[in-house]
Amino acid sequence: MKRTIAIAGSLVIAAALGAALCLTTLPDQDPASALTASQADLLAGARLDDYQNGVTAIDATIPVSGQDFRLDGRVDWKAHLGYATLAAQPGQGGGTELLQWTPNGIAVRGSWSGLPPATPPADGWMVRRWQRGADLDTALQLILDLGSDRPESARLLQRSGASVLRRDSIGNGPVTVFAGPPEAPTGAAHTRYWVSDAGTLRRFEALVDGSTTWARVDLAPGSAAPVPHIPAAQ
């Protein structure tokens, strides 16, 4: 399935993907204020910055059915291609899987150890389409949507209900934390964007597991190694 969206649309779709999963009081909500023109401009360029970067390393924590899973790999925004290992957190049981995902679905190879290899194995892959409402699928789709080949409309962002939460930092770098549009029936945002002063998206968060746990995706600045294509996943 082809997914083409602008950031105002992206924020709305991001909320819609998780809306069925997030219908009660939301946790850890900061007071929000309306976007200024400069803040809207900063957020409007974040997905374009990802796209221009080409390939970005990601380190994510994704809640799935009450367990936290770590996703460690990279995304090629121009090719709309993700490649990572998925593993349960220590002490939670379960093995490690190797994943590749595209707008069409996910290829999974189980019983993996270590980081994603530069040359993936040719066999052992299981390919499936996206499952609507599944926690992992929602998170992986949202990650692919974090890159765009054009800047967004700052004016539409200001009208969408997106807001600024606070100033913060990641490592030694200052960021502005933004929230996506409020969602019915809670009236709260289900997505958050941590954007550096240079306009680089450093972290993305979304509620994709009930209403209590944020999925978190940390994006490393600078270009990463190329993402190999797995024929079974295309």
Side-chain angles (χ1 to χ4, degrees):
M1 100 185 144
K2 182 173 176 156
R3 312 185 74 219
T4 56
I5 48 181
I7 197 166
S10 175
L11 294 172
V12 171
I13 289 176
L17 283 169
L21 302 171
C22 310
L23 298 180
T24 57
T25 303
L26 300 180
D28 190 23
Q29 293 292 309
D30 293 297
S33 57
L35 298 176
T36 65
S38 61
Q39 289 167 342
D41 285 339
L42 188 69
L43 181 57
R47 290 171 66 234
L48 174 62
D49 186 85
D50 280 347
Y51 183 86
Q52 291 176 332
N53 192 52
V55 181
T56 300
I58 61 169
D59 184 354
T61 301
I62 301 174
V64 179
S65 302
Q67 282 188 282
D68 287 336
F69 287 80
R70 182 180 179 186
L71 187 75
D72 191 351
R74 51 199 187 272
V75 177
D76 185 333
W77 311 109
K78 294 182 179 179
H80 306 289
L81 193 64
Y83 181 55
T85 53
L86 182 73
Q89 298 286 10
Q92 291 188 334
T96 299
E97 297 177 327
L98 188 62
L99 305 181
Q100 178 150 103
W101 66 103
T102 76
N104 296 319
I106 311 173
V108 182
R109 193 183 193 282
S111 302
W112 191 257
S113 61
L115 296 175
T119 302
D123 60 357
W125 294 93
M126 179 190 73
V127 182
R128 65 172 176 82
R129 297 291 183 179
W130 294 113
Q131 297 177 1
R132 183 175 177 82
D135 299 344
L136 175 62
D137 293 28
T138 298
L140 295 179
Q141 287 177 297
L142 291 174
I143 290 171
L144 281 187
D145 283 339
L146 295 178
S148 173
D149 63 357
R150 65 196 66 190
E152 317 301 342
S153 169
R155 182 175 297 181
L156 287 178
L157 272 178
Q158 288 183 292
R159 293 175 180 174
S160 73
S163 58
V164 62
L165 299 178
R166 64 183 184 273
R167 291 285 289 172
D168 210 314
S169 63
I170 294 180
N172 295 322
V175 295
T176 301
V177 184
F178 297 95
E183 273 299 305
T186 62
H190 298 160
T191 54
R192 300 190 293 211
Y193 302 78
W194 300 54
V195 184
S196 75
D197 293 349
T200 300
L201 183 64
R202 295 295 313 279
R203 177 175 291 166
F204 170 73
E205 295 176 308
L207 284 168
V208 296
D209 183 22
S211 61
T212 60
T213 305
W214 292 91
R216 172 177 290 183
V217 184
D218 285 327
L219 298 88
S223 185
V227 175
H229 288 254
I230 299 169
Q234 307 309 306

